[in-house]
Amino acid sequence: MPSPSLFIRLNRDDNVVLARADITPGTPIPEEGVTTAGHIPAGHKMATRPIAQGEPIRRYNQIIGFATEAIGTGEHVHVQNCAMGDFERDYAFCADAKPTDYVPEAERATFQGFRRANGRVGTRNYIGILSSVNCSATTSRMIAAHFERSGVLEQFPNVDGVVAITHSTGCGMADSGEGYDNLQRTLWGYARNPNFAGVLMIGLGCEVNQIDFLLDAYQIERGPLFQTMNIQNLGGTRKTVDHCIARVMEMLPEADKARRETVPASELMVALQCGGSDGYSGISANPALGAAVDLLVRHGGSAVLSETPEIYGAEHLLTRRAVNRQVGEKLIARIKWWEGYTSRNGGEMNNNPSPGNKRGGLTTILEKSLGAAAKGGTTNLVEVYKYAEQMTAKGFVFMDTPGYDPASATGQVAGGAQIVCFTTGRGSVSGFKPAPCIKVATNSTMYRHMEEDMDINCGTIIDGDETIEQAGRRIFEMFLAVASGAQTKSEAQGFGDNEFVPWQIGAVM
């Protein structure tokens, strides 16, 4: 097999190419007919022709920024000479929507999941201790810690664990509005995620986020596998811990009866995340994940793209795939909301990329967004959801969330996702109990350096050893394996107890 080129060209009309490795000054690039004018770090861009000041810089044949000064052929293109700029987007609603090529039902993939009494399917079998307010967080952790250290779970081999889901809010907030609604949707979404066999929800008693208000708002009934209590009513911390340990002990035998059974891939919803992105993200791991999403959708399953600030500048690619104009308009409404939200808080949408993203070669949010959107594959966008809203549509959907990974994944899991797939170029580490998290590396150097944290290497695409479609097939097969109980690297290391971060909007009072 011939050695791959030193640079990657993504589209014939691009005026930049991407370095596969560190390139020294004066290196000839015969296929582009240029010589490097300076050092081009791995994952960074080089100009392949002169670019005038103010001229658009194009990657993926899309605008990623504008030259802030004249750029010569062979020069490094990055933050020193490329910046954001406004330009007209053609939303072309539904222009690229097309019938989905579904796999015949008899041939569809399956996995081994836990079928719940309400018909939903879990990929894990946890009992959750869910705090309604920060004031009950320590008590919730004490309860979960008892089961971690006591050895009692050895009697219940089909239970994956007792996990405390705690957070930093629930009081000192308005008792209505977007922030309050977000928190209530998130808590109820976790309580009904099928990866939980049973849930205890614990409050303090005097907080703004009253458990009874949540139950009334969502018409929730208590039962043997969903119980609520508060510390003040029970007489303090020790009494609450003892009481809740007894309640979990009553739940464990029932939870242990759960057995994995063969279920269709149509029961699977995968949350799509990326973090610590680099210049390779948009050409290796993200499009490979997109290929896996296309396979999942063809098999009747669902995938949810999120992080609204990180599709900013690429939203026109999603509106073109909207199944109808109403869905496309819902996405644009969320983009407009974010523009207003950042403006009134003294920010801007281009606060991304992060310093680490920039070191990895990403220059503007436009460039980052174009790569991030690739996680969503190519099938129709069938619905757009609010943060933590229950997702019922089958296929490729979008949920409005922040770009902050823990808050974004929290919303997706609250919405019903039973697995998270997370691409990273710089090496993000995290987990999102009760949903297992698959980590996908964008480049082989980082994969080898952090192999204990990475499940899949898509640097094989950059290395020329594998196609996007082949890597996508591997990711899809890992979806099914992990959904059937295979442990991910983040699970093996114990991640997932600290990443529950409901999105806070509004004043803290």
Side-chain angles (χ1 to χ4, degrees):
M1 180 180 294
S3 298
S5 167
L6 293 176
F7 283 87
I8 301 168
R9 171 169 284 282
L10 300 178
N11 187 282
R12 66 180 183 179
D13 294 325
D14 290 351
N15 51 15
V16 296
V17 290
L18 198 75
R20 290 183 188 270
D22 273 3
I23 312 296
T24 56
T27 301
I29 313 298
E31 62 273 19
E32 296 291 339
V34 303
T35 297
T36 57
H39 171 227
I40 313 294
H44 285 236
K45 298 173 289 296
M46 179 191 73
T48 57
R49 62 171 177 78
I51 304 173
Q53 183 176 357
E55 183 180 347
I57 294 171
R58 304 187 75 91
R59 180 182 172 191
Y60 312 102
N61 196 26
Q62 299 286 332
I63 294 172
I64 64 167
F66 297 84
T68 56
E69 60 185 50
I71 302 172
T73 301
E75 288 188 8
H76 180 210
V77 177
H78 199 31
V79 292
Q80 76 280 2
N81 52 21
C82 173
M84 271 282 284
D86 199 18
F87 63 98
E88 202 65 36
R89 275 86 141 176
D90 179 8
Y91 293 138
F93 295 105
C94 314
D96 295 336
K98 57 186 184 295
T100 301
D101 180 23
Y102 288 111
V103 173
E105 285 200 28
E107 301 172 20
R108 290 185 184 179
T110 61
F111 67 98
Q112 300 297 304
F114 296 102
R115 178 76 72 175
R116 303 301 183 192
N118 62 5
R120 303 177 77 188
V121 175
T123 66
R124 294 296 182 267
N125 195 40
Y126 284 105
I127 288 177
I129 313 299
L130 186 55
S131 62
S132 65
V133 64
N134 179 255
C135 305
S136 60
T138 296
T139 302
S140 299
R141 290 188 182 278
M142 288 177 176
I143 298 160
H146 166 81
F147 290 95
E148 289 174 8
R149 63 175 179 256
S150 66
V152 70
L153 289 177
E154 294 176 7
Q155 304 170 38
F156 306 99
N158 295 312
V159 177
D160 289 309
V162 176
V163 56
I165 303 294
T166 64
H167 57 97
S168 62
T169 185
C171 204
M173 63 190 301
D175 62 359
S176 62
E178 290 175 312
Y180 186 74
D181 292 344
N182 275 356
L183 180 59
Q184 289 214 320
R185 283 198 304 271
T186 302
L187 291 173
W188 176 228
Y190 265 69
R192 72 190 303 266
N193 188 288
N195 287 2
F196 282 128
V199 168
L200 291 183
M201 187 177 290
I202 303 174
L204 175 61
C206 56
E207 61 272 12
V208 169
N209 185 41
Q210 290 283 305
I211 292 177
D212 284 345
F213 293 171
L214 172 67
L215 303 189
D216 289 343
Y218 288 91
Q219 299 179 322
I220 303 165
E221 294 185 4
R222 298 175 178 87
L225 294 176
F226 177 69
Q227 299 187 37
T228 68
M229 57 279 302
N230 71 59
I231 296 166
Q232 291 169 353
N233 283 353
L234 289 171
T237 301
R238 183 186 59 79
K239 291 176 182 177
T240 301
V241 170
D242 291 346
H243 177 84
C244 291
I245 287 172
R247 299 291 78 74
V248 173
M249 287 300 302
E250 293 172 358
M251 288 183 177
L252 281 168
E254 188 64 27
D256 195 56
K257 292 178 183 177
R259 297 292 186 274
R260 291 187 182 273
E261 60 182 84
T262 302
V263 294
S266 58
E267 297 288 355
L268 192 60
M269 173 171 282
V270 178
L272 312 177
Q273 284 288 320
C274 60
S277 301
D278 66 358
Y280 298 126
S281 295
I283 58 177
S284 63
N286 287 357
L289 179 51
V293 166
D294 286 349
L295 284 171
L296 179 61
V297 170
R298 290 185 62 229
H299 283 263
S302 305
V304 52
L305 182 68
S306 298
E307 301 177 288
T308 313
E310 296 186 10
I311 60 116
Y312 186 71
E315 69 271 15
H316 60 292
L317 302 181
L318 297 177
T319 58
R320 297 180 69 92
R321 293 162 51 193
V323 70
N324 57 50
R325 187 181 181 97
Q326 181 183 17
V327 168
E329 294 279 14
K330 286 171 74 172
L331 180 63
I332 299 309
R334 300 319 300 162
I335 293 289
K336 298 300 183 186
W337 183 92
W338 273 95
E339 289 176 335
Y341 178 60
T342 53
S343 176
R344 66 179 176 265
N345 284 283
E348 58 176 338
M349 294 298 283
N350 197 36
N351 72 333
N352 253 305
S354 69
N357 296 153
K358 291 175 180 177
R359 284 194 294 272
L362 294 174
T363 305
T364 67
I365 187 56
L366 301 178
E367 181 178 19
K368 184 175 181 180
S369 293
L370 289 162
K375 301 193 301 292
T378 63
T379 61
N380 295 342
L381 174 65
V382 299
E383 189 54 279
V384 174
Y385 290 98
K386 293 184 291 187
Y387 184 81
E389 188 177 2
Q390 288 297 299
M391 297 178 286
T392 56
K394 294 290 187 181
F396 170 59
V397 303
F398 187 86
M399 175 182 282
D400 180 31
T401 77
Y404 181 45
D405 303 321
S408 180
T410 293
Q412 293 172 318
V413 175
Q418 315 109 305
I419 285 181
V420 178
C421 191
F422 194 123
T423 67
T424 179
R426 304 293 292 175
S428 293
V429 295
S430 54
F432 304 98
K433 287 178 181 176
C437 180
I438 300 167
K439 286 291 172 55
V440 183
T442 72
N443 65 88
S444 298
T445 299
M446 187 276 289
Y447 176 79
R448 288 190 291 266
H449 187 59
M450 297 183 66
E451 195 165 353
E452 292 179 350
D453 294 280
M454 299 296 124
D455 296 286
I456 291 179
N457 179 26
C458 282
T460 51
I461 297 167
I462 305 299
D463 301 337
D465 298 330
E466 194 174 30
T467 66
I468 287 171
E469 290 71 24
Q470 289 169 332
R473 170 63 66 173
R474 283 197 293 126
I475 295 172
F476 175 68
E477 290 171 353
M478 180 159 277
F479 288 169
L480 301 175
V482 169
S484 298
Q487 191 177 51
T488 66
K489 297 284 184 70
S490 65
E491 286 182 294
Q493 298 205 62
F495 278 99
D497 294 305
N498 301 295
E499 287 87 353
F500 178 73
V501 182
W503 178 19
Q504 295 186 52
I505 301 176
V508 176
M509 296 178 286

